[in-house]
Amino acid sequence: MKAKVYVTLKKGVLDPQGKAVMGALKTMSFDEVRDVRIGKFMELEIDGASKEKEEARIKDMCERLLANTVIENYRIEIE
Amino acid sequence: MKFGIVVFPGSNCDHDCYHVVKHVFNKDAGYVWHKDTSLKGYDCVILPGGFSYGDYLRTGAIASASPVMNEVVSFAKKGGLVLGICNGFQILTEAGLLPGALMRNRGLKFICAHVPVRVDNNATPFTARYGKNEVVDMPIAHADGNYFADVDTIKKLEDSGRIAFRYSTPGGTATDDANPNGALLNIAGITNERGNVLGMMPHPERASETALGSIGGRGVFESIISALS
């Protein structure tokens, strides 16, 4: 099965990279952009039979490595 | 007394640390490979600066999952002295030995500069040789040194004297102008609750010989040596 993991910065955590990208978009006249937050997207190919079981394991992967929960949130999608 | 310097793929201050311990302070030192599973015989473990695993995923994240880190965690739990410098500090936070995270500098740039650093707590095994609030010169060289932690953690660190170093003016005031990277409360270095683990962004090993322009970092090594003697 395939798992998609989205890692994003928590609300309130400053994202200077997002701010820089927003600045560039404004320079390009995309004035409607109010905020940009940059995150990570990961695709995992998983050998596993049970979706439920794998979901718990991917959550563990996120907690322990894929995301830093001090500053980041994560979301998992399994296909 | 023996110092163990952990080498991860991409560490690049390991030799500097070894040199300072061995040739400047004449103490025994050895390299510890990231796949090693024993820290037997070492009294102080140094996680050096560099770009372990190319800073992939997050700085220090992948190194924190390497085999030697299990040993570093048990070494620290037993009260052994652990010093993380720059990337070493990032690895310590990722490994959970220190709270918080080191984020991208607020100016987005890699900063390589000598900065004044104030010793906020000189009652640790890493800082005892400094005066309280003494300001010393040490270089920083990082892109991710912007210390962040939630409000409760920051308060706890401050209230319990766990902020060992802060970026300050040469006169010793921790102003925003003196903050190179946006770190909360100008934090440049913190200890764990027990006080035997220190993570710091400035490089004491690059400021231990007059030939290199500053000896502001010597106090860190002198303090450790004195604590272990």
Side-chain angles (χ1 to χ4, degrees), chain B residues 5 11 41 43 77-79 85 92-93 102 115 119 130 137 141-142 163 171 175 177 179 197 204 213 217 223 225:
Chain B
I5 294 140
S11 294
D43 305 291
K77 292 232 161 91
K78 280 185 269 176
I85 302 166
L92 289 176
T93 59
L102 280 314
V115 294
V119 181
Y130 291 111
D137 174 283
H142 60 248
I163 303 175
T175 62
D177 280 349
N179 186 342
V197 177
S223 301
I225 289 165

Side-chain angles (χ1 to χ4, degrees), chain B residues 106 115-118 120 135 166-187:
Chain B
R106 66 177 160 190
V115 294
V117 177
R118 188 178 79 195
D120 270 43
V135 178
R166 280 192 220 218
Y167 305 108
S168 76
T169 62
T173 316
T175 62
D176 193 51
D177 280 349
N179 186 342
N181 53 29
L184 290 179
L185 296 188
N186 286 39
I187 287 172

Side-chain angles (χ1 to χ4, degrees), chain A residues 68 70, chain B residues 6 8 39 45-47 60 63-66 68-84 88-102 126 147 153 157 162 190-199:
Chain A
N68 180 342
V70 175
Chain B
V6 182
F8 299 97
L39 288 170
V45 170
I46 301 180
L47 306 187
S64 76
S66 50
V68 76
M69 285 310 294
N70 291 328
E71 300 309 309
V72 175
V73 170
S74 13
F75 183 80
K77 292 232 161 91
K78 280 185 269 176
L81 296 185
V82 178
L83 166 64
F89 185 9
Q90 295 159 343
I91 296 167
L92 289 176
T93 59
E94 284 285 345
L97 280 171
L98 291 173
L102 280 314
F126 306 95
Y147 184 80
T153 305
L157 289 175
R162 286 169 56 190
I190 56 166
T191 59
N192 64 343
E193 210 167 344
R194 190 167 170 180
N196 64 313
V197 177
L198 169 72

Side-chain angles (χ1 to χ4, degrees), chain B residues 50-73:
Chain B
F51 299 85
S52 57
Y53 293 91
D55 282 349
Y56 295 164
L57 192 62
R58 293 178 309 277
T59 53
I62 297 177
S64 76
S66 50
V68 76
M69 285 310 294
N70 291 328
E71 300 309 309
V72 175
V73 170

